């Protein structure tokens, strides 16, 4: 039995969420203040962002957390969950959302850790859109999803602060 790829996926999943010093989703969320959490920027380039920036930082955290719940079910569970079945945090405030998000992350990470052999990464699972997909691809989607939305959090925070985006 080999766990080389499992350990790799576990490490990159954790980096995308917490440990990458430049791109970690949770680090970019932590750099936002509670006052910025539910703000939609008021000054933006229409050419660059369209008619309005669609999501607040809190909205992005909810979105990523919901995806983690869904993909945990699809990659490691019964693959029966529908998007409307996902239970979010009791409040949209920053602290409860971050606690819920941390729990969703930990549950997905535990799913990866529960695998015992790299061959399990090739097992076909049902994606949220009901198409068969290798488990490794579902895990990879969640790695990329967190990094992608980390950039959006950074962008929203920069628009709110009127900065270039490199300041935390």
């Amino acid at each position: 039995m080999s766990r080389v790829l499992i350990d790799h996926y576990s490490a990159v999943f954790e980096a995308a969420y917490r440990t990458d010093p430049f791109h970690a989703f949770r680090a970019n969320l932590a750099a936002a203040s509670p006052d910025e959490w539910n703000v939609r920027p008021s000054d933006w380039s229409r050419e660059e962002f369209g008619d309005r920036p669609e999501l607040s930082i809190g909205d992005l955290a909810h979105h990523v957390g919901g995806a983690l719940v869904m993909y945990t079910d699809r990659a490691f569970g019964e693959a029966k969950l529908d998007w409307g079945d996902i239970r979010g945090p009791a409040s949209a405030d920053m602290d409860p959302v971050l606690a819920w998000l941390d729990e969703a992350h930990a549950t997905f990470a535990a799913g990866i850790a529960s695998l015992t052999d790299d061959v399990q990464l090739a097992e076909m699972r049902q994606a949220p859109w009901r198409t068969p997909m290798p488990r490794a691809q579902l895990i990879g989607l969640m790695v990329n999803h967190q990094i992608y939305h980390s950039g959006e959090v950074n962008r929203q925070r920069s628009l709110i602060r009127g900065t270039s985006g490199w300041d935390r």
Side-chain angles (χ1 to χ4, degrees), residues 40-54:
R40 287 174 174 76
S42 61
D43 185 22
W44 69 92
S45 163
R46 184 163 271 110
E47 295 77 32
E48 189 170 349
F49 299 111
D51 289 334
R52 63 188 177 115
E54 68 285 352

Side-chain angles (χ1 to χ4, degrees), residues 87-106:
R87 300 274 186 256
S91 165
D93 292 337
M94 188 174 186
D95 288 339
V97 172
L98 292 177
W100 172 74
L101 181 65
D102 287 344
E103 182 180 325
H105 168 81

Side-chain angles (χ1 to χ4, degrees), residues 25-132:
F25 183 66
R26 188 62 166 78
N28 264 326
L29 290 174
S33 72
D35 290 340
E36 296 168 328
W37 188 249
N38 285 313
V39 173
R40 287 174 174 76
S42 61
D43 185 22
W44 69 92
S45 163
R46 184 163 271 110
E47 295 77 32
E48 189 170 349
F49 299 111
D51 289 334
R52 63 188 177 115
E54 68 285 352
L55 299 172
S56 69
I57 293 169
D59 292 334
L60 292 166
H62 271 99
H63 169 74
V64 170
L68 285 169
V69 170
M70 172 61 78
Y71 278 73
T72 298
D73 176 67
R74 296 306 171 132
F76 311 108
E78 296 180 8
K80 294 183 178 180
L81 191 66
D82 288 317
W83 289 108
D85 299 333
I86 296 171
R87 300 274 186 256
S91 165
D93 292 337
M94 188 174 186
D95 288 339
V97 172
L98 292 177
W100 172 74
L101 181 65
D102 287 344
E103 182 180 325
H105 168 81
T107 304
F108 192 93
I112 298 172
S114 74
L115 301 175
T116 57
D117 192 305
D118 286 344
V119 72
Q120 293 172 289
L121 293 168
E123 291 175 358
M124 298 303 284
R125 302 288 298 175
Q126 188 181 67
W129 51 92
R130 313 240 187 266
T131 304

Side-chain angles (χ1 to χ4, degrees), residues 3 6 35 111 144 163 165:
R3 285 186 44 97
I6 293 168
D35 290 340
N144 292 335
T163 64

